[in-house]
């Protein structure tokens, strides 16, 4: 069994020196205004009764922006627009801020995520500079292991995405250089019959070949999407990383880090205490709309499912995949940990879950965990599901065609901005969601406030807001 958290010679949560050096985050950076004000709690702050009440009648009766959803898209727009003196009311059906990024400290003292592990990484300097204002950040090089059968049918722990080590362990190869690895790929790959891959299976075979496809990607994809790769767009598996080096980091982005006191703290610093931003949780937008209880607003910013917004039209629903988490607390595991890394994927078809996450491995745990005072550990088995909170749009031609019909309706909807992954039917990483919201804010700011009127416009496929 593992002894201690997943670490390298550089430290806990870090890659080996050659690859850790590529991370531009090398020390604790950023600002946490709430911590600087004297708040020492590692857990999310207790929100006011009014915020949790679900009662919008106690909120301002007129605002500039009515924002549906307290996740990244809504929070960034509210925070940025406040700098222009604009007022916002954010409502959310859940009882917390942060959307799917919400994390908390459980009764055992372990920081964990309600909606699955989140790893912040970005190639966008603008996004990195922005988030530095709302949290302190710890360098973190996310690395994933997979429990995969080797040639003898024995499950071995190997790096995911595949590296030289993965190939050598699973197939008893002798790959020891990048040129060796490139030659191995060239020998394994199968070109699509028509030149361009028509589906996910052809894309995967063209990237990694049949042996890695079968052992690592085929059945994992089926569990994740409830569709085999041949039933998905080629774009889904064309993104498979083909590492030729020993770099076992999951992401190649130049900035990779974890918020020192959790993701929820970012939202607390963005939203709480701003006189231009009002929060009301436990609010169902559609029920409030039907009851005529929504306050007056110049613009509605809708970050939910676009098909839910138009449900009254009776159109087919878009297809999403969700996640179900089966959590288990182990009070006294050998060595203090259940598995060798934070994330261990299980791509074989004989296991019903896709992966196991053990939060205790990450370096932004509360101090008592890092000091070894919490003996137990929390694991979460993840099962893909068609039911539950929507996580991933299902990328295939039928869903794409249906979304275009919804997008056409949205383009003609006056006074409403459809923002974020659910409204766009497109999966965004955290940094992409932030960048999307920042660019929308740019459009709003550039249009100016001269007319005193908010309108929603589309120009050459771009989204603009006008005041």
């Amino acid at each position: 069994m593992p002894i201690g958290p997943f670490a390298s010679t550089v430290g806990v949560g870090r890659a080996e020196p050659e690859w850790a050096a590529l991370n531009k985050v090398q020390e604790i950076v950023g600002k946490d205004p709430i911590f600087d004000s004297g708040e020492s709690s590692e857990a999310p702050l207790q929100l006011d009764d009014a915020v949790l009440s679900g009662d919008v009648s106690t909120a301002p009766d007129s605002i500039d922006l009515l924002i549906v959803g307290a996740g990244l898209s809504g929070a960034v727009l509210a925070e940025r627009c406040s700098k222009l003196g604009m007022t916002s009311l954010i409502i959310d059906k859940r009882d917390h801020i942060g959307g799917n990024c919400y994390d908390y400290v459980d009764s055992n003292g372990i920081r964990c995520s309600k909606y699955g592990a989140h790893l912040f990484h970005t190639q966008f300097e603008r996004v990195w500079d922005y988030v530095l204002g709302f949290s302190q950040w710890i360098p973190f090089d996310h690395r994933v292991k997979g429990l995969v059968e080797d040639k003898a049918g024995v499950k071995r722990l190997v790096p995911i995405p595949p590296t030289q080590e993965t190939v050598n362990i699973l197939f008893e190869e002798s790959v020891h250089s990048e040129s060796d690895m490139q030659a191995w790929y060239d020998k394994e790959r199968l070109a699509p019959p028509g030149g361009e891959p028509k589906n996910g299976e052809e894309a995967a075979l063209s990237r990694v070949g049949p042996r890695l496809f079968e052992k690592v990607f085929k059945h994992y994809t089926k569990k994740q999407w409830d569709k085999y790769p041949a039933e998905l767009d080629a774009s889904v598996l064309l993104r498979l990383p083909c590492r030729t080096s020993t770099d076992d980091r999951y992401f190649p982005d130049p900035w990779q880090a974890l918020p020192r006191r959790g993701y929820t703290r970012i939202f607390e610093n963005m939203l709480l205490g701003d006189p231009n931003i009002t929060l009301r949780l436990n609010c169902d937008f559609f029920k409030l709309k039907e009851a005529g209880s929504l306050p007056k607003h110049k613009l509605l910013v809708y970050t939910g499912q676009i098909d839910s917004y138009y449900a009254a039209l009776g159109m087919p629903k878009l297809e999403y995949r969700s996640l179900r988490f089966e959590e288990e607390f182990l009070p006294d595991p050998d060595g203090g940990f259940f598995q060798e890394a934070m994330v261990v994927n299980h791509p074989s078809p004989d296991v019903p879950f896709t992966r196991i996450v053990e939060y205790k491995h990450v370096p932004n745990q509360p101090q008592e965990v890092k000091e070894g005072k919490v003996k137990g550990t929390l694991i979460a088995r993840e099962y893909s599901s068609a039911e539950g909170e929507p996580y991933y749009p299902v990328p295939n031609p039928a869903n794409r065609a249906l979304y275009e019909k919804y997008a056409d309706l949205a383009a003609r909807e006056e006074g409403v901005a459809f923002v974020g992954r659910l409204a766009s039917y497109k999966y965004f990483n955290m940094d992409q969601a932030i960048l999307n919201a920042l660019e929308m804010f740019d459009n709003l700011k550039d249009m100016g406030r001269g007319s005193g009127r908010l309108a929603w416009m589309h120009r050459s496929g771009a989204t603009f807001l006008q005041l």
Side-chain angles (χ1 to χ4, degrees), residues 34 45 66 105 107 110 121 145 149 194 206 247 276 279-280 305 311 331 354 368 375 389 438:
I34 288 175
L45 303 179
L66 174 60
V105 177
S107 59
I110 297 172
H121 55 99
K145 296 287 188 178
E149 286 188 356
S206 73
D247 183 3
N276 288 328
L279 281 164
R280 289 295 181 268
Q305 293 172 242
T354 54
E368 288 197 349
K375 301 301 180 186
E389 291 288 341
L438 289 174

Side-chain angles (χ1 to χ4, degrees), residues 334-364:
D334 291 344
F337 290 82
F338 170 78
Q339 61 188 19
E340 289 83 347
M342 177 195 182
V343 176
V344 174
N345 285 2
H346 291 259
S348 58
D350 62 321
V351 177
F353 46 83
T354 54
R355 65 181 188 173
I356 297 178
V357 175
E358 185 176 14
Y359 296 105
K360 197 176 176 183
H361 283 280
V362 295
N364 71 339

Side-chain angles (χ1 to χ4, degrees), residues 110-289:
I110 297 172
R111 190 185 311 285
C112 51
S113 297
K114 187 175 179 65
Y115 305 98
H118 285 71
L119 297 312
F120 187 86
H121 55 99
T122 187
Q123 61 177 311
F124 305 115
E125 186 169 7
R126 181 185 185 183
V127 171
W128 178 242
D129 289 342
Y130 178 72
V131 299
L132 286 175
F134 307 103
S135 174
Q136 291 184 323
W137 294 85
I138 303 172
F140 182 73
D141 309 305
H142 183 47
R143 296 181 292 161
V144 173
K145 296 287 188 178
L147 206 56
V148 186
E149 286 188 356
D150 64 13
K151 289 178 67 175
V154 178
K155 289 188 178 181
R156 308 284 297 277
L157 208 61
V158 296
I160 302 291
T163 65
Q164 294 176 23
E165 180 185 349
T166 308
V167 168
N168 289 338
I169 290 176
L170 296 183
F171 306 119
E172 299 177 4
E173 298 283 358
S174 296
V175 174
H176 299 297
S177 68
E178 294 204 43
S179 59
D180 286 349
M181 190 68 175
Q182 186 60 57
W184 187 88
Y185 278 129
D186 293 341
K187 179 180 65 176
E188 292 281 316
R189 288 169 173 161
L190 296 179
E196 293 293 329
K198 296 187 293 293
N199 56 55
E201 179 168 331
E202 290 186 0
L205 293 174
S206 73
R207 297 284 289 163
V208 299
R211 291 198 289 172
L212 272 177
F213 171 67
E214 180 70 28
K215 288 185 177 294
V216 177
F217 300 108
K218 179 180 178 179
H219 303 288
Y220 191 92
T221 301
K222 177 63 167 70
K223 288 192 284 187
Q224 182 75 18
W225 299 100
D226 195 30
K227 287 178 172 59
Y228 281 109
E231 302 173 85
L232 294 169
D233 283 356
S235 61
V236 179
L237 286 104
L238 277 174
R239 296 192 295 266
L240 292 182
C242 295
R243 302 278 168 81
T244 57
S245 68
T246 60
D247 183 3
D248 64 347
R249 297 174 306 150
Y250 200 78
F251 306 112
D253 296 306
W255 290 277
Q256 302 186 34
L258 290 175
R260 189 176 184 182
R261 297 174 187 89
Y263 289 97
T264 304
R265 175 56 57 86
I266 299 171
F267 294 87
E268 292 170 342
N269 276 316
M270 291 172 73
L271 304 177
L272 303 186
D274 188 324
N276 288 328
I277 299 173
T278 304
L279 281 164
R280 289 295 181 268
L281 305 178
N282 297 302
C283 287
D284 187 311
F285 164 73
F286 296 105
K287 289 181 179 178
L288 292 171
K289 182 180 180 182

Side-chain angles (χ1 to χ4, degrees), residues 32-106:
D32 183 343
I34 288 175
F35 178 78
D36 291 342
S37 71
E39 174 58 62
S40 60
S41 173
E42 293 271 14
L45 303 179
Q46 178 62 44
L47 299 174
D48 293 342
D49 290 343
V51 171
L52 296 169
S53 68
D55 184 2
V56 296
S57 69
T58 60
D61 57 11
S62 178
I63 66 273
D64 291 312
L65 303 179
L66 174 60
I67 300 175
V68 181
L72 281 171
S73 299
V76 171
L77 276 172
E79 188 277 331
R80 288 289 82 193
C81 288
S82 176
K83 305 308 178 189
L84 298 181
M86 297 175 65
T87 56
S88 298
L89 169 62
I90 302 177
I91 63 174
D92 199 297
K93 64 182 180 180
R94 303 177 186 179
D95 63 357
H96 59 75
I97 59 176
N100 283 3
C101 296
Y102 175 73
D103 57 5
Y104 62 99
V105 177
D106 75 357

